[in-house]
Amino acid sequence: MKKFPGLTKEDCVAACNEKGCVLASGRPFCFHPCKGGVPKAFKDDPAAQALQAEARAALGIKLKPIEGVTA
């Protein structure tokens, strides 16, 4: 992954550590798309959502529509 070196569906970005997650803009939370994603407290954070979308795209992950929810 060019923008996220080391990122795979199983592994975090190489620069992530216990002090901060690259996908969380350095916050001490893991925002990995396959390990929980963006915590509820950050669902309205546009920067967190943008990084999450870029990471999902890099991994080829497409969100499934939720029944009864329209965009």
Side-chain angles (χ1 to χ4, degrees), residues 3-70:
K3 181 166 184 163
F4 305 113
L7 181 66
T8 67
K9 289 185 178 181
E10 294 83 27
D11 295 321
C12 292
V13 178
C16 290
N17 59 50
E18 64 279 348
K19 294 181 182 178
C21 171
V22 170
L23 302 178
S25 298
R27 294 179 182 105
F29 306 101
C30 180
F31 282 19
H32 190 289
C34 298
K35 296 181 181 184
V38 179
K40 189 175 182 177
F42 298 98
K43 290 293 184 190
D44 293 328
D45 181 329
Q49 293 301 325
L51 277 172
Q52 187 70 190
E54 289 180 56
R56 283 193 311 264
L59 293 172
I61 298 171
K62 295 183 182 180
L63 295 179
K64 295 178 185 176
I66 301 171
E67 188 175 321
V69 175
T70 59

